[in-house]
Amino acid sequence: MSLATAFKSGDLTLLPSKRDEDWRWTDLRGLIREVPPPSPAFNGETPPGVFDHLAEDFHVLANGGSAQIVADEGELTAVLRFLSANDGTAHAAKVSIEVAAGASLTLLETYEGYGAGYFAQADLTIRLGEGAKLERIVLAGDDAEAISVSQAEVTLAAGSSYAQTVLTDGAKRQRIETRIAHPGAGASVRLDGGYLLRDRRHADLTTAIAHEGVDGTTSQLTKGVVDDQARGVFQGRITVAHGADRTDARMGHHALILSDRAEVDAKPELLIFADDVQCAHGNTVGALDENQLFYAQQRGLPADAARALLTAAFVGEVIDRIEHETARETARAWLNQWLGVGE
Amino acid sequence: MLSIQNLHASVGDKPIIKGLTLDVPAGEVHAIMGPNGAGKSTLSYVLTGRDGYEVTDGSATLNGEDLLALEPAERAAKGVFLSFQYPLEIPGVPALTFIRAAVNAQRKARGEEEIAAPAFLKTAKAEAARLKIDFDMLKRPLNVGFSGGEKKRMEILQMAMLSPKFLILDETDSGLDIDALKIVSEGVNAMRAPDRGMLVITHYQRLLDYIKPDRVHVLAAGRIVASGGPELALQLEAEGYDKYVTKDAA
Ligand SMILES: Nc1ncnc2c1ncn2[C@@H]1O[C@H](COP(=O)(O)OP(=O)(O)OP(=O)(O)O)[C@@H](O)[C@H]1O
Ligand SMILES: [Mg+2]
């Protein structure tokens, strides 16, 4: 599915709806009543981005467009920025990313909403060669009224390693999807996410990982915080195909609900068709611990600060797993800003 | 210093503190002993403002200021410190980070400057050494996976760093080995000062050999039913609470 095809054909019935199993918590069809006009070409000035200073390879896709990122040898740090600059218009972006055998790429990706109520689609195709390495850090900062869909298809060759951390504060409807195929042997994946949602925002982190080769590993950790009337969605599927022996796959999704009217929908799935595997998943949804909150307050932290401290610690586990040091600090700053705390 | 008059408090709908009156003047250490379930921890939570502990009557003031009207953090900033009977684990927050946040929050509430990182670290190192806490432990998430005794030492370390005016120690001796009991007691004794008061809740006379109380009170069924000098603790050790419990039940 794509927003772009539906808009181009003018047939809104092509939009995913809650009747599609895979989209049941992120209904787009019920939300979009008419085809929005296409976004105009962007000719303004690009505002500074949080990762710009790290870029060896720099791409800005404003109101759609396409790009190609190739790491053919050694190490490369690429910055990829998706900008949505106009109000109420639609655009699509396409990016292909290739990390050659033995090469290493750090991909620092941002979604930035400067317009209001836009419709944005991003498609990424990511291929890792044998023994290649990629760490992808995504910071999504869409507009509160935006509808935004990002879909990445990742293919891993033998012995490659892929690490991803997606952090988002949602949109009116937002879906960030990652599909990973491990056809080769011995590929390793870290697949993390964090959603921090307030007001009426929505975010859907959907992942699907298919282990087809032997000796693959997946370590997945997603943490969510929802406040007000926000809604977080996590769908994680790990499939271990017949013959994908000695796969080690672990999935965790843990969410904090800070308000009675907030909601979290989670569907963790392990589909195992091989015999010799180690797989586990954990899923928890709850409130902050009142005892811990009182303890922190007794030590002098006002109630808001105590909540922020415990929330930061909760999501911090995801941020601690980011390998790239500067990106990790940028991610932590982003979290603290969301929480409204200093440092 | 601390003055509690005819205090009544409920947990849920259940009255636990039933007309408790107690005065701890500045510079004094008062011990509270009493049977399990008497309301000792409840009293400490009422004084520190825990949610769900509702005061239905009476008053509690610190140096004349109404404690009960304040938020828990405001009470802390006024100098009320509770060493918890069961200290909480705080995953993801290194002990040092937690303590520094607490120190600075209290300073901010009092209109003081934040403590600079080097000065803070220096004091933390010195206090940890005094309490025989391995400094590396302070880099671990607070209390997570710590032994019972280590958690109690960590409470005393926090107390030393926060330098409170009024200390409530709720069974700080439980879970401590013989050496730790001594170290912790020394840490507490070092805090004795003419302008500081302490309420020491314990089941065991032995702690009071180390931390010498000025007064000993028996708390049973939500009230102070007897008060005396340090000899009262010895007498309780010998005779138990029988006479206080039956008297109240009658
Ligand atoms: N949340 C609660 N709901 C209902 N009853 C409670 C609650 N908390 C405490 N109580 C009751 O209040 C009474 C006093 O409890 P408290 O913990 O204050 O006793 P204590 O004197 O500290 O006992 P111990 O010596 O065992 O620590 C007990 O009967 C206990 O069951
Ligand atoms: Mg108790």
Side-chain angles (χ1 to χ4, degrees):
Chain A
M1 109 82 214
S2 103
L3 283 174
T5 19
F7 293 160
K8 205 182 266 169
S9 67
D11 181 2
L12 293 180
T13 63
L14 294 175
L15 290 169
S17 79
K18 53 184 174 233
R19 259 170 291 167
D20 300 296
E21 179 60 20
D22 212 27
W23 288 82
R24 61 179 163 156
W25 291 313
T26 304
D27 180 31
L28 296 182
R29 196 156 141 206
L31 196 67
I32 303 173
R33 298 287 170 199
E34 27 184 307
V35 176
S39 298
F42 175 75
N43 50 21
E45 203 163 303
T46 304
V50 287
F51 291 128
D52 288 2
H53 64 294
L54 298 168
E56 294 163 353
D57 184 23
F58 186 64
H59 301 268
V60 178
L61 301 186
N63 288 353
S66 65
Q68 203 175 6
I69 296 173
V70 181
D72 44 16
E73 55 175 15
E75 295 180 11
L76 179 69
T77 301
V79 169
L80 175 59
R81 297 175 57 190
F82 295 96
L83 272 51
S84 294
N86 288 75
D87 300 348
T89 59
H91 49 266
K94 241 181 174 39
V95 178
S96 94
I97 295 157
E98 183 111 28
V99 189
S104 164
L105 174 67
T106 301
L107 178 64
L108 304 169
E109 183 178 326
T110 52
Y111 293 80
E112 304 166 44
Y114 299 104
Y118 51 82
F119 301 78
Q121 161 98 28
D123 286 298
L124 297 94
T125 310
I126 302 175
R127 273 194 307 271
L128 272 68
E130 271 190 38
K133 260 188 90 167
L134 171 54
E135 183 172 33
R136 178 184 181 211
I137 312 297
V138 179
L139 288 185
D142 273 312
D143 174 62
E145 292 305 318
I147 294 177
S148 178
V149 176
S150 164
Q151 293 173 300
E153 291 276 353
V154 183
T155 311
L156 304 178
S160 59
S161 84
Y162 181 84
Q164 172 175 305
T165 305
V166 172
L167 295 169
T168 182
D169 64 358
K172 183 173 186 179
R173 284 278 204 295
Q174 183 193 60
R175 162 101 147 196
I176 301 177
E177 188 180 300
T178 311
R179 294 181 185 275
I180 300 179
H182 279 240
S188 75
V189 169
R190 173 178 68 72
L191 192 59
D192 295 347
Y195 54 88
L196 299 161
L197 310 174
R198 58 166 67 97
D199 304 323
R200 305 177 68 101
R201 283 178 181 248
H202 165 286
D204 168 345
L205 296 186
T206 290
T207 61
I209 302 172
H211 280 271
E212 284 144 16
V214 297
D215 294 311
T217 63
T218 292
S219 166
Q220 184 172 16
L221 179 66
T222 301
K223 294 232 171 164
V225 178
V226 291
D227 203 348
D228 304 319
Q229 298 181 59
R231 184 178 198 195
V233 175
F234 169 76
Q235 303 188 102
R237 182 187 307 136
I238 297 180
T239 311
V240 182
H242 182 73
D245 288 335
R246 299 180 304 278
T247 293
D248 187 320
R250 311 194 178 250
M251 183 198 301
H253 168 253
H254 306 283
L256 272 182
I257 298 200
L258 301 182
S259 125
D260 296 345
R261 301 177 68 189
E263 185 179 325
V264 170
D265 298 294
K267 186 177 174 197
E269 268 181 301
L270 290 177
L271 305 172
I272 301 169
F273 302 100
D275 301 324
D276 177 16
V277 298
Q278 297 226 41
C279 291
H281 72 95
N283 183 49
T284 59
V285 177
L288 281 171
D289 184 299
E290 289 296 329
N291 297 317
Q292 292 174 347
L293 277 174
F294 174 65
Y295 185 74
Q297 290 177 71
Q298 203 303 300
R299 295 296 135 95
L301 291 164
D304 284 349
R307 266 191 287 275
L309 179 81
L310 295 179
T311 308
F314 178 80
V315 182
E317 202 186 340
V318 164
I319 288 172
D320 289 343
R321 283 160 58 106
I322 296 175
E323 288 148 45
H324 190 285
E325 197 177 328
T326 312
R328 186 168 65 238
E329 290 322 309
T330 305
R332 207 181 305 281
W334 181 89
L335 165 67
N336 285 338
Q337 194 183 2
W338 190 87
L339 291 166
V341 296
E343 265 194 321
Chain B
M1 179 125 218
L2 178 72
S3 171
I4 304 171
Q5 296 295 323
N6 186 34
L7 188 68
H8 290 254
S10 301
V11 184
D13 285 337
K14 190 174 164 196
I16 309 279
I17 304 293
K18 304 166 187 166
L20 186 144
T21 296
L22 179 67
D23 264 292
V24 183
E28 293 195 4
V29 173
H30 287 209
I32 292 191
M33 303 182 82
N36 294 132
K40 303 183 295 298
S41 294
T42 302
L43 174 64
S44 69
Y45 291 145
V46 171
L47 292 175
T48 49
R50 186 172 191 150
D51 253 2
Y53 290 71
E54 199 200 339
V55 175
T56 52
D57 201 4
S59 67
T61 59
L62 185 70
N63 293 328
E65 192 166 356
D66 180 9
L67 275 184
L68 303 178
L70 302 176
E71 293 297 320
E74 294 172 324
R75 301 184 200 194
K78 297 277 179 201
V80 179
F81 180 92
L82 168 62
S83 171
F84 282 57
Q85 181 173 358
Y86 304 108
L88 275 297
E89 299 190 355
I90 310 290
V93 186
L96 275 176
T97 308
F98 182 87
I99 300 171
R100 187 155 164 240
V103 168
N104 282 332
Q106 291 202 12
R107 284 178 166 242
K108 191 172 165 202
R110 293 193 291 259
E112 299 164 10
E113 290 269 305
E114 286 206 344
I115 187 165
F120 173 80
L121 277 178
K122 201 172 152 209
T123 328
K125 272 196 178 127
E127 292 296 343
R130 215 157 52 90
L131 291 163
K132 301 224 162 50
I133 296 172
D134 180 7
F135 188 72
D136 280 342
M137 200 151 137
L138 299 182
K139 297 173 185 162
R140 284 165 51 191
L142 180 63
N143 291 335
V144 177
F146 292 12
S147 77
E150 287 168 346
K151 289 180 183 172
K152 293 300 175 76
R153 271 189 236 199
M154 206 54 88
E155 293 291 276
I156 303 304
L157 175 79
Q158 292 178 57
M159 187 172 86
M161 297 295 297
L162 290 164
S163 193
K165 285 272 165 260
F166 194 87
L167 285 51
I168 306 167
L169 307 180
D170 191 355
E171 294 195 27
T172 296
D173 50 338
S174 71
L176 292 180
D177 67 38
I178 298 159
D179 294 336
L181 182 64
K182 235 172 125 178
I183 293 164
V184 161
S185 303
E186 279 163 11
V188 174
N189 283 330
M191 307 234 13
R192 293 182 93 138
D195 59 347
R196 195 174 264 146
M198 296 189 200
L199 205 51
V200 177
I201 298 170
T202 183
H203 286 296
Y204 304 105
Q205 147 65 27
R206 190 170 53 195
L207 177 71
L208 305 180
D209 285 340
Y210 292 110
I211 305 174
K212 296 244 165 9
D214 297 287
R215 302 279 293 162
V216 175
H217 308 276
V218 180
L219 199 167
R223 296 168 46 223
I224 302 294
V225 294
S227 298
E231 71 287 350
L232 179 56
L234 292 165
Q235 185 194 330
L236 289 170
E237 182 107 322
E239 297 172 9
Y241 296 113
D242 263 10
K243 76 178 179 205
Y244 303 108
V245 178
T246 14
K247 190 173 81 184
D248 199 84

